Amino acid sequence: MKQPIFAANWKMNHAPADATAFMRAFLAHFGKRQDRSVIFFPPALSFGAVVGALKDRPDIQLGVQNIYWEDKGAFTGENSATIARASGAKYVLVGHSERRHIFGETEEEAGKKVAAATRAGLTPIVCVGETLAQREAGETEQVVLRQLRAALGTVSSADAGNAIIAYEPVWAIGTGKTATPADASAVHQAIGEELRRILDSGSLAVPILYGGSVNRGNAADLLAAPEVDGLLVGGASLDAQGWASIVLT
Ligand code: PGA
């Protein structure tokens, strides 16, 4: 049986007081259980509030939405992987499409962030995905696998084997358009094959999540699709009760 991963990417939502209220409501719906992993990615300034709200729930994990690749220094406005780790994060999102497309992050920079995360003992969740134009041009696999190689190429194959991958087609993020379970499976399978080449290993322990307009209505079908090991959810993770029902899928 799969042990699915449910990751909530809050993006720039939920101030500390909202985050605390969310957690109170969410924990009332979600008791401790061993058969799934739940990870929250709050905004940096609400991170401490979520740590406090989860002090009695070590079963629930935390991650940051972004890091800078240097370990410390004069980089106004940034947070390092070391700071994130010391604050209680175990995971970091790297290469999210909003970072790539709104903030102009390059594939090379994603690689540097994976290396920084690894040095600090954070697990990177490497997000890859094609735009609509790239999909329509038949370039989905080429783009996704190139992003994957660039992100993981900065670390040893042993360290790459500790990463998590999230396939998030750009055209499906925040748009209400979801990849079909079959579309997701096909790309996940290609990612899995590439990972086996990168890791030089026949068996694959790297989970591959799907993200992009996941909601209560489609979560179960996406999760049941072959090669889908979990879900990375934005908009539908913002409501405590709705998120609890997705996590309990
Ligand atoms: P969405 O976002 O669920 O709102 O489409 C997913 C993501 O960006 O991780």
Side-chain angles (χ1 to χ4, degrees), residues 156-188:
S156 69
S157 55
D159 286 330
N162 290 325
I164 294 176
I165 311 301
Y167 170 54
E168 297 205 306
V170 178
W171 49 269
I173 295 180
T175 59
K177 291 188 194 130
T178 324
T180 64
D183 287 339
S185 275
V187 180
H188 282 222

Side-chain angles (χ1 to χ4, degrees), residues 7 9 11 93 96-98 127 168 172-177 211-215 232-237:
N9 176 13
K11 309 190 180 184
L93 299 179
H96 188 278
S97 76
E98 286 149 19
C127 305
E168 297 205 306
I173 295 180
T175 59
K177 291 188 194 130
S213 293
V214 174
N215 58 41
L232 176 55
V233 183
S237 73

Side-chain angles (χ1 to χ4, degrees), residues 2-4 10 19-20 52 58 60 80 94 106 205 220 223 226 236:
K2 288 201 274 190
Q3 295 265 324
W10 282 357
T20 304
I60 298 176
S80 66
V94 174
T106 63
L223 199 56

